[in-house]
Amino acid sequence: MNSSKVRQSENLPCSFVIFGATGDLASNKLLPALFHLEVASRLGEGLTIVAFSRRDWTLDSWREYLRSVLANKVKAKLEGPVFERFLARFRYHRGDINDVESYRALAANLPPEPACSRTVFYLAIKPADFAVVIKNLEAVGLNQPRGMNRVVIEKPFGEDLESAQVLNRLLHQYLDEEQVYRIDHFLGKETVQNLLVFRFANTLIEPLWNRNFIDHVQITVAESIGIEKRAGYYDRAGALRDMLQNHLMQLMTVVAMEPPVALEADALRDEKVKVLRSIRPIAKRAVHAHAVRAQYTFGNIDGQAVAGYQQEENVEINSLTETFVAAKFYIDNWRWRGVPFYLRTGKRLTKQTSLIAIRFKHPPQQLFRETPLEFIEPNWVLLSIQPEQSMHLEIHVKQPGLDMDTRVMQMNASFLKTDEQALDAYETLLLDVIEGDRSLFIRFDEVEWAWRVVDPILKHWLVEREFIPTYSAGSWGPTEANRLFDNDDQTWRNEL
Ligand code: BG6
């Protein structure tokens, strides 16, 4: 959370190495975000970016590639001194992540100490390759100086509780915890950070933020995209591991946490862990009542016919991987006991929208029962994460006129002024890595507790191998997702 910190340039890294530089994550997120930081003059003068990849390329071919990637992703001009400065930061390192010699050559090419004593290694690679990179970094001494060089690890961290613990032990064998940055890019999204401000900078909100006033909470991350070219990873992972165990549960912790004692990494993370630890464990026999999975079949999105999951390239025949998951959790603490948190996410849904929707309780007395109003819908607070970044408060007002009738008004707070540009979450998080702020990165106990919560669901699905419900691409998901609701008057809130 790069805000008012005093920047100490001697502590800043001077090399930023991207493993998997020609992969999807780098092209979709990292390279555009680094360029945005360049445009905003937030990259230190001495920072070199090293693109590490197996492709037999030269620096010139890398630069050409970089230009083509950015052309599709950024609005700023790809010419002039800023762009030239950005291009000049790069080095291209041809290497194989499995071959220790590639790391030796990398080490020899990094700027020497004492001129440069910190390097960031970003593992933009598939999770199965994390271990080999960490071991090879250690083999050539690039994990040193301990506490200085930083390693950024993408999610999912492990594929269940046990594998996450194994991965963590391996990390700690070679690195100190303060060198490890477990990234969950949803924490870098503007609305999510704004949620902290909304909750803890407004005395208006916090007194209402509990089981006395809130009926339930919904967190939806809907995507209209399919699995793109990621079947190799996705078909093993599924929506629960890819999105719910990390992104959605992190959003839930920010909605539900107590105010931290300070805006510091560990204080924030302590509160998030308390939420995760308070989630009521899901018993084996209760999995069906708490979780729904489904897979998309062919359908239509924005007038375009799209293939079903089974027809996507490289998906296993008869794969039972879920592309949609919805789950219900209870947080058994003083603030939240009895308030259901409904989480859902899916690919190939009607449209891209990520929304935190908080529904308040009905007024205790239906005072307007005898009027044309009869029944008043409860209030909602809606926090839109994307595509819009905004906050809406829905309240009732009387319609002007002779009758006692109301309408719902939305009080809207768009976070962006017209002249401000929305940034992706990665800008914030990359800057945090560079500046050494771990507040928005995940501590291992958070990962561990999140796995503990979802492990029973995963285990149950592993034995239920005969059937998976389906939904048409372009819909809002399977009707089965409605069975999670505790009350008849609860329904999914799809849009603002
Ligand atoms: C990634 C998931 O972590 O988040 C993808 O692996 C998903 O499957 C993506 O599409 C969504 O993030 P964003 O920021 O593009 O909404």
Side-chain angles (χ1 to χ4, degrees):
M1 258 184 286
N2 18 75
S3 47
S4 59
K5 261 179 304 287
V6 180
R7 295 179 210 300
Q8 296 168 326
S9 57
E10 68 274 20
N11 288 338
L12 298 180
C14 45
S15 308
F16 191 105
V17 179
I18 306 175
F19 291 105
T22 49
D24 286 346
L25 176 68
S27 64
N28 289 334
K29 305 281 193 187
L30 303 185
L31 298 170
L34 285 167
F35 182 57
H36 286 146
L37 290 176
E38 182 77 87
V39 173
S41 305
R42 298 302 286 267
L43 296 180
E45 244 173 56
L47 184 75
T48 300
I49 307 174
V50 181
F52 186 113
S53 164
R54 229 180 353 203
R55 298 192 195 184
D56 190 7
W57 282 358
T58 60
L59 181 58
D60 281 342
S61 37
W62 163 260
R63 285 181 170 165
E64 224 169 279
Y65 168 79
L66 181 60
R67 186 187 286 274
S68 69
V69 163
L70 295 180
N72 295 322
K73 300 276 176 201
V74 303
K75 286 198 189 124
K77 280 199 198 133
L78 300 183
E79 58 189 28
V82 174
F83 184 60
E84 291 306 321
R85 193 168 71 219
F86 189 58
L87 281 186
R89 288 188 189 279
F90 279 89
R91 296 193 192 160
Y92 183 75
H93 187 86
R94 185 182 167 214
D96 177 352
I97 54 171
N98 296 302
D99 177 10
V100 73
E101 290 312 316
S102 298
Y103 295 75
R104 227 181 286 288
L106 174 69
N109 280 329
L110 291 176
E113 281 189 68
C116 178
S117 56
R118 279 167 208 260
T119 304
V120 173
F121 298 102
Y122 200 113
L123 275 52
I125 51 177
K126 53 180 193 308
D129 292 332
F130 290 163
V132 72
V133 173
I134 304 288
K135 285 181 187 162
N136 281 333
L137 286 176
E138 193 267 347
V140 301
L142 281 176
N143 60 335
Q144 309 281 358
R146 290 290 271 245
M148 297 261 225
N149 285 352
R150 297 166 194 162
V151 174
V152 187
I153 306 243
E154 274 285 339
K155 47 115 296 237
F157 193 90
E159 41 183 55
D160 55 14
L161 177 61
E162 209 183 317
S163 57
Q165 287 167 334
V166 169
L167 175 58
N168 203 51
R169 274 198 292 275
L170 177 111
L171 281 181
H172 281 168
Q173 202 178 329
Y174 302 121
L175 301 163
D176 294 342
E177 175 61 19
E178 55 181 315
Q179 295 178 268
V180 180
Y181 287 69
R182 296 178 197 83
I183 198 165
D184 186 315
H185 77 279
F186 267 57
L187 289 181
K189 293 197 186 266
E190 200 69 55
T191 307
V192 181
Q193 296 183 62
N194 227 316
L195 184 55
L196 290 174
V197 178
F198 176 59
R199 288 195 54 199
F200 303 129
N202 294 301
T203 40
L204 195 69
I205 303 300
E206 203 44 26
L208 305 178
W209 210 254
N210 57 52
R211 61 196 294 271
N212 299 329
F213 298 95
I214 291 180
D215 178 78
H216 73 272
V217 175
Q218 297 185 16
I219 300 177
T220 297
V221 178
E223 296 185 280
S224 55
I225 54 167
I227 55 162
E228 300 180 300
K229 300 255 174 270
R230 301 161 72 214
Y233 151 75
Y234 195 90
D235 205 33
R236 270 183 68 100
L240 193 143
R241 291 187 180 92
D242 184 49
M243 298 289 288
L244 192 130
Q245 185 270 349
N246 33 74
H247 301 326
L248 277 87
M249 291 192 74
Q250 281 294 325
L251 296 180
M252 179 166 87
T253 59
V254 181
V255 172
M257 69 192 239
E258 295 299 320
V261 289
L263 210 53
E264 285 165 3
D266 276 326
L268 275 163
R269 299 191 293 184
D270 287 346
E271 296 308 330
K272 282 163 57 205
V273 170
K274 284 187 207 160
V275 173
L276 293 165
R277 288 185 68 168
S278 309
I279 296 177
R280 190 182 305 167
I282 299 175
K284 240 195 230 158
R285 62 178 187 293
V287 167
H288 188 69
H290 278 265
V292 169
R293 63 177 166 164
Q295 193 181 77
Y296 62 83
T297 55
F298 71 92
N300 242 285
I301 297 182
D302 284 337
Q304 299 276 327
V306 297
Y309 181 70
Q310 301 270 348
Q311 288 72 50
E312 302 274 15
E313 213 181 313
N314 296 327
V315 165
E316 262 186 37
I317 298 170
N318 299 329
S319 164
L320 288 178
T321 300
E322 79 285 355
T323 57
F324 175 98
V325 58
K328 168 170 65 180
F329 299 111
Y330 293 98
I331 301 169
D332 283 343
N333 61 17
W334 278 67
R335 188 189 280 265
W336 294 114
R337 187 165 175 109
V339 178
F341 281 70
Y342 302 111
L343 276 51
R344 74 177 163 157
T345 180
K347 300 267 184 211
R348 287 290 191 223
L349 298 179
T350 317
K351 57 183 197 171
Q352 189 220 23
T353 170
S354 301
L355 186 67
I356 299 175
I358 290 138
R359 209 200 83 179
F360 283 77
K361 292 192 170 172
H362 290 285
Q365 185 192 7
Q366 284 292 342
L367 186 63
F368 300 96
R369 205 172 24 219
E370 309 297 332
T371 71
L373 270 176
E374 290 171 19
F375 179 77
I376 295 192
E377 286 293 325
N379 305 113
W380 288 84
V381 166
L382 305 166
L383 293 138
S384 170
I385 300 169
Q386 54 196 26
E388 217 178 290
Q389 304 178 346
S390 57
M391 196 189 77
H392 305 247
L393 179 61
E394 278 189 0
I395 54 167
H396 295 275
V397 295
K398 183 183 170 301
Q399 284 199 28
L402 299 177
D403 290 327
M404 177 52 94
D405 225 337
T406 61
R407 57 177 164 230
V408 175
M409 295 291 292
Q410 279 203 351
M411 293 166 70
N412 297 356
S414 176
F415 303 152
L416 286 180
K417 293 190 186 149
T418 39
D419 57 342
E420 288 169 341
Q421 198 208 338
L423 289 179
D424 192 34
Y426 274 89
E427 287 82 356
T428 305
L429 296 175
L430 293 183
L431 198 55
D432 281 351
V433 174
I434 290 171
E435 295 182 350
D437 181 346
R438 297 189 305 144
S439 317
L440 295 178
F441 293 81
I442 316 290
R443 209 168 57 189
F444 182 64
D445 48 356
E446 294 179 70
V447 181
E448 205 171 22
W449 281 102
W451 279 123
R452 268 188 230 283
V453 172
V454 302
D455 244 27
I457 306 176
L458 282 173
K459 297 244 159 65
H460 188 76
W461 287 352
L462 213 59
V463 287
E464 276 201 343
R465 305 292 301 161
E466 297 88 46
F467 166 77
I468 180 161
T470 56
Y471 59 100
S472 306
S475 69
W476 279 105
T479 47
E480 281 85 347
N482 296 331
R483 73 169 153 75
L484 297 181
F485 291 118
D486 281 358
N487 291 316
D488 290 347
D489 74 339
Q490 297 174 341
T491 50
W492 290 109
R493 176 94 196 208
N494 292 332
E495 301 180 71
L496 287 176

